Amino acid sequence: MGQAQSAVTKTQEQMATGKRVLSPADDPVAATTILKLNQELARTEQYKKNIDVADNSLSLEDSTLQTVVELMQQMNVLAVKAGNTAVLTAADYKSIAAEVDTRISELMNLQNTRNASGQYIFAGYQGDTQPFVNKGGGNFEYLGDEGQLFLQASASVSVAVSDSGKKVFVDIPSDHNTVNTSASSSNRALPASVVSVGQIVDQELFDSFYPEDMVIAFNANSAVVPNGPNYTVTERSTGKVLVANAPYVSGEEINVMGVSLSISGSPVAPTPASLPFNFDAAAAPIDFSANPTTLKISVGGRSETLEFNSLPVVNNVADFAAMLNAAPNAAKLANLGLTASATGFVSANGMNISVQGGNPALQSATGLTTMAGVVSTNGKAGDSFFVESTDKQGLLTTLSRFSEAMKSVKDTPESKALLSDLVAKTLSNLTNSITNVVSVQGEVGARQNTLESSRDLNLDVNLFVQQELKSVQDLDYAEASIRLSMETLVLNASQQSFTKISQLSLFNYL
């Protein structure tokens, strides 16, 4: 009777819930299938949410890019207008430059667009970081990365939902070899000195120098007479001096290898680095002809090997300094920008000095543990600025150079000729920028089409899974009703039999 009651109760629960399988014990195989189908439905629902998020992100990106394209087309019109150098005056160009500056601010806001969650859409993986910042002097810096966010749209489809600002707005092929200018992150001037965006004023000369980079490093004030701020321009890869100890005036034009730029502010001069000597008089006289050795000395990544293998003997630190300032060591020290005296090695440009090698005799002469290696720590380099060759030009840089050129133009044929050349480059680079942005727009559209296809596929999968789930899980009410009637009949019969049997006793048979 208990089994009959359980059967009736189970069937009633099945009919109340509409489900055939109430627990894994009812049908282990079906229960496993139901679990898998429900998991598939949950995944499909998450894909639907992902597609909605992705579609919103791509729609925002597409509308932003379309606004950028329209802005660039307006800039193209202004550039064509600016090409009329025979009619326009310097005052006219300043008016056009003011409008370009307004558009630059508008463009920067577009490039720093945020989504509904407050994330910057063109910052790559750095969604919390403003990707484009104004560094002054017409220079802009991209602080995001090259990351691209993806969302899963279906079991087999993953769709990119963002593009880095570097790809869209920075890495744009330039119509000509050009430069990017920047200040070293280790500069110490407060307020910081600012380097201008720069212009190529002699393309042929610069092309002969390309792809080398330049470093503008500020020297000790004592490097020029009369003493004052000055700088040296070197080729970055080799250290070759291009301009030596040029007097510095804030805002004054600097022309080197076909590049024109300016630096504004008060760059900090270097703090010289030094390795002082401490001659061991007890070791004198020191005869290097009998104890020959070499010393590797390095500054700023460049090295020379000093030689100690000849007479005269060294009786004091003055004798040792004289040996350093004689051939062949003198030229080697000069190559590194070092001086040597009785007080020690000095690097006037502030780059620290390292020495390695030698023998006990050399250690006695210098008072330095050269065999273990010694590095100075008191040097601080002067402020420096970089001019990096590149075949790419960011959109903001293109417009900034266009504006700066119009602000500085003069009503002379030579100045107008330079501006005319810059306008031609601006038009070409704007065309390249539009092409690049439109190409990304096309990619965005293709991704949105992929999302729609995935949405349709997920609907089909959802319908199929629900049908499968229904066939495995749902109750057949007709069959259940018949079964419930039979189980109820059995239960009633059991109860009636139990009632009759329970009333029987031996007294009924006496």
Side-chain angles (χ1 to χ4, degrees):
M1 187 172 65
Q3 292 177 346
Q5 181 64 58
S6 297
V8 170
T9 301
K10 178 181 176 182
T11 302
Q12 288 174 334
E13 289 178 0
Q14 289 176 329
M15 295 184 72
T17 60
K19 296 181 178 179
R20 181 177 68 85
V21 181
L22 299 175
S23 69
D26 294 340
D27 188 338
V29 174
T32 301
T33 302
I34 290 169
L35 177 62
K36 291 180 179 178
L37 292 174
N38 281 326
Q39 289 174 339
E40 183 62 32
L41 285 175
R43 279 194 294 268
T44 304
E45 180 62 25
Q46 185 59 54
Y47 294 149
K48 178 180 180 298
K49 293 177 181 178
N50 289 353
I51 289 172
D52 291 339
V53 171
D55 195 37
N56 289 337
S57 296
L58 292 176
S59 294
L60 176 60
E61 181 178 348
D62 183 56
S63 63
T64 303
L65 293 179
Q66 182 57 39
T67 305
V68 170
V69 170
E70 292 169 0
L71 187 150
M72 286 190 290
Q73 290 170 339
Q74 295 171 9
M75 291 298 94
N76 204 68
V77 171
L78 284 180
V80 171
K81 178 181 178 181
N84 195 359
T85 56
V87 176
L88 297 176
T89 65
D92 296 327
Y93 281 117
K94 284 181 172 58
S95 297
I96 298 174
E99 183 174 353
V100 172
D101 287 345
T102 300
R103 299 302 183 188
I104 289 174
S105 296
E106 183 181 346
L107 175 62
M108 189 169 168
N109 287 335
L110 289 169
Q111 294 181 175
N112 288 328
T113 296
R114 299 190 195 201
N115 61 22
S117 301
Q119 298 285 297
Y120 292 98
I121 67 173
F122 295 115
Y125 295 138
Q126 310 299 318
D128 293 326
T129 302
Q130 179 177 319
F132 291 92
V133 295
N134 190 336
K135 302 295 287 185
N139 272 313
F140 298 87
E141 184 176 2
Y142 177 68
L143 300 180
D145 57 32
E146 297 184 52
Q148 192 172 37
L149 303 177
F150 286 81
L151 281 177
Q152 198 76 21
S154 71
S156 59
V157 177
S158 182
V159 177
V161 297
S162 70
D163 293 283
S164 75
K166 189 172 187 294
K167 169 188 174 182
V168 183
F169 304 116
V170 178
D171 285 346
I172 299 173
S174 174
D175 186 60
H176 58 286
N177 294 327
T178 184
V179 295
N180 288 325
T181 61
S182 61
S184 170
S185 59
S186 61
N187 284 358
R188 293 178 285 142
L190 290 174
S193 300
V194 177
V195 60
S196 72
V197 68
Q199 305 277 5
I200 304 299
V201 294
D202 188 334
Q203 191 67 54
E204 184 176 352
L205 177 58
F206 178 70
D207 286 344
S208 68
F209 179 73
Y210 183 88
E212 296 294 340
D213 302 331
M214 291 180 273
V215 178
I216 303 173
F218 279 77
N219 308 317
N221 290 348
S222 58
V224 293
V225 179
N227 293 351
N230 67 97
Y231 61 87
T232 293
V233 184
T234 57
E235 189 174 281
R236 193 172 192 173
S237 62
T238 64
K240 176 183 176 183
V241 175
L242 303 175
V243 176
N245 303 337
Y248 166 74
V249 177
S250 178
E252 187 174 89
E253 190 175 28
I254 298 172
N255 284 293
V256 57
M257 300 308 295
V259 180
S260 174
L261 55 87
S262 65
I263 297 171
S264 301
S266 302
V268 174
T271 300
S274 62
L275 279 178
F277 295 150
N278 184 18
F279 188 83
D280 183 3
I286 300 172
D287 184 357
F288 284 111
S289 65
N291 297 284
T293 189
T294 59
L295 179 69
K296 180 181 179 181
I297 185 165
S298 304
V299 176
R302 294 183 295 144
S303 301
E304 293 282 358
T305 301
L306 305 182
E307 301 174 19
F308 304 91
N309 53 21
S310 61
L311 294 172
V313 296
V314 175
N315 292 298
N316 50 51
V317 71
D319 291 346
F320 183 66
M323 179 174 286
L324 289 170
N325 288 301
N329 292 333
K332 295 178 179 180
L333 291 173
N335 287 341
L336 298 177
L338 297 178
T339 58
S341 67
T343 58
F345 293 117
V346 174
S347 169
N349 60 18
M351 289 187 286
N352 281 307
I353 310 163
S354 69
V355 293
Q356 176 76 52
N359 58 13
L362 185 61
Q363 292 194 149
S364 296
T366 61
L368 301 172
T369 56
T370 60
M371 296 172 68
V374 183
V375 181
S376 68
T377 58
N378 57 351
K380 293 182 179 178
D383 285 359
S384 58
F385 302 84
F386 306 115
V387 182
E388 297 172 306
S389 298
T390 178
D391 59 356
K392 294 181 173 62
Q393 182 163 292
L395 176 54
L396 285 169
T397 301
T398 293
L399 296 181
S400 178
R401 284 199 169 121
F402 180 38
S403 173
E404 293 299 318
M406 290 190 291
K407 291 174 186 174
S408 61
V409 70
K410 297 178 177 60
D411 289 323
T412 65
E414 295 78 13
S415 182
K416 292 285 188 72
L418 284 174
L419 178 61
S420 181
D421 181 56
L422 189 280
V423 167
K425 291 176 179 178
T426 299
L427 286 167
S428 297
N429 286 326
L430 279 173
T431 298
N432 291 345
S433 297
I434 292 173
T435 300
N436 193 65
V437 173
V438 169
S439 174
V440 175
Q441 267 191 295
E443 294 176 14
V444 170
R447 293 175 207 155
Q448 288 181 303
N449 291 336
T450 300
L451 290 176
E452 285 305 311
S453 298
S454 298
R455 194 192 303 274
D456 293 340
L457 174 62
N458 289 336
L459 287 173
D460 291 340
V461 169
N462 187 278
L463 179 60
F464 173 77
V465 172
Q466 286 182 338
Q467 289 174 340
E468 284 294 306
L469 185 60
K470 183 177 180 180
S471 67
V472 176
Q473 179 178 256
D474 286 4
L475 181 68
D476 183 341
Y477 277 94
E479 184 272 335
S481 296
I482 295 171
R483 178 158 39 89
L484 180 60
S485 297
M486 293 180 64
E487 289 169 344
T488 302
L489 179 62
V490 172
L491 177 60
N492 289 336
S494 299
Q495 289 173 338
Q496 291 173 5
S497 298
F498 175 76
T499 301
K500 290 181 180 180
I501 293 172
S502 64
Q503 293 174 352
L504 293 177
S505 73
L506 290 175
F507 293 102
N508 294 116
Y509 298 98
L510 293 176

